[in-house]
Amino acid sequence: KQEVTQIPAALSVPEGENLVLNCSFTDSAIYNLQWFRQDPGKGLTSLLLIQSSQREQTSGRLNASLDKSSGRSTLYIAASQPGDSATYLCAVRNSGNTPLVFGKGTRLSVIA
Amino acid sequence: DAGVIQSPRHEVTEMGQEVTLRCKPISGHDYLFWYRQTMMRGLELLIYFNNNVPIDDSGMPEDRFSAKMPNASFSTLKIQPSEPRDSAVYFCASSPNSGGFYEQYFGPGTRLTVT
């Protein structure tokens, strides 16, 4: 059974810092991996999706990497801003159009 | 497109009452997923549909939960009777069956409180 772990559970950084969020999964035979952002009391916003054949995806200040063989992904946020404060969720898809398996998220606070 | 639409956004009910949550997926999406989010367990799949047909309902907690998708633009999740432990945020998501990415788009969720 696929399990997804995110470390740390919470992170607080000063504005301007670069930071890395970690995600690990137990079954490396994934189809793709998705990073989401969730603001308090809100739904999930998709940030980046990485196919199993890819090593990284970039969108603005965000860069997600995937090391499928070791069962790990990282989300790199450059020059963090207070508006980046949210919970970041990692989720993997095992095959085709199947449900996502989620980690419990990392709650990020960026202090001005 | 308006995105995935869920209603109601908030629901407060008493134990034993019937609760119905509603979802309208993005037009053209063939897959619809219902997830539940709690502090303890995070986000978990309840059930998902492909072309209105339930594919996997192994995540549905017990017989008190049921889900239907009578057409491509509407799905319901019903809890009868509701219990305090059902209190959670329920999300609906949809995804297309083309392009090979199968990216899921989430609705804003329904926050259910059962007292």
Side-chain angles (χ1 to χ4, degrees):
Chain A
K1 179 186 172 185
Q2 180 72 272
E3 293 182 3
V4 180
T5 303
Q6 292 186 246
I7 295 173
L11 179 65
S12 183
V13 301
E15 181 178 7
E17 271 204 8
N18 303 324
L19 59 100
V20 173
L21 307 180
N22 297 295
C23 171
S24 62
F25 43 95
T26 54
D27 184 350
S28 63
I30 65 170
Y31 185 83
N32 60 28
L33 182 147
Q34 221 171 325
W35 281 94
F36 293 87
R37 169 185 173 137
Q38 185 176 26
D39 292 284
K42 305 290 186 182
L44 280 68
T45 301
S46 180
L47 297 173
L48 291 163
L49 184 150
I50 311 178
Q51 293 289 78
S52 61
S53 58
Q54 298 175 317
R55 294 196 64 84
E56 65 179 333
Q57 281 286 335
T58 298
S59 176
R61 294 183 294 107
L62 305 179
N63 175 276
S65 68
L66 174 64
D67 184 344
K68 199 175 107 170
S69 61
S70 66
R72 291 187 296 185
S73 176
T74 61
L75 180 66
Y76 175 83
I77 303 177
S80 59
Q81 303 170 357
D84 295 330
S85 298
T87 296
Y88 291 81
L89 294 155
C90 167
V92 301
R93 182 176 287 105
N94 288 336
S95 63
N97 205 341
T98 53
L100 291 165
V101 179
F102 282 86
K104 291 190 176 181
T106 294
R107 189 170 65 254
L108 173 66
S109 296
V110 181
I111 312 301
Chain B
D1 199 315
V4 176
I5 299 172
Q6 291 186 248
S7 64
R9 293 293 311 277
H10 302 273
E11 177 81 38
V12 180
T13 191
E14 293 184 347
M15 182 174 63
Q17 296 299 305
E18 177 179 296
V19 175
T20 299
L21 311 181
R22 297 173 176 80
C23 174
K24 176 178 169 53
I26 293 173
S27 177
H29 283 190
D30 300 319
Y31 283 77
L32 183 141
F33 305 83
W34 282 100
Y35 294 91
R36 179 170 69 175
Q37 186 177 39
T38 61
M39 288 291 292
M40 288 295 294
R41 300 174 67 90
L43 264 161
E44 297 178 299
L45 176 78
L46 297 175
I47 185 171
Y48 79 102
F49 296 84
N50 176 213
N51 291 324
N52 314 335
V53 177
I55 303 300
D56 183 355
D57 65 355
S58 59
M60 297 285 262
E62 48 200 91
D63 292 345
R64 297 184 298 106
F65 285 68
S66 63
K68 294 181 180 179
M69 192 164 186
N71 56 62
S73 59
F74 184 66
S75 177
T76 60
L77 178 68
K78 185 176 294 186
I79 308 172
Q80 167 63 21
S82 57
E83 296 181 2
R85 61 189 166 129
D86 301 331
S87 298
V89 182
Y90 291 80
F91 287 102
C92 175
S94 68
S95 71
N97 195 30
S98 60
F101 296 104
Y102 310 131
E103 187 168 0
Q104 288 186 18
Y105 298 82
F106 280 72
T110 295
R111 182 174 296 277
L112 173 64
T113 302
V114 183
T115 61

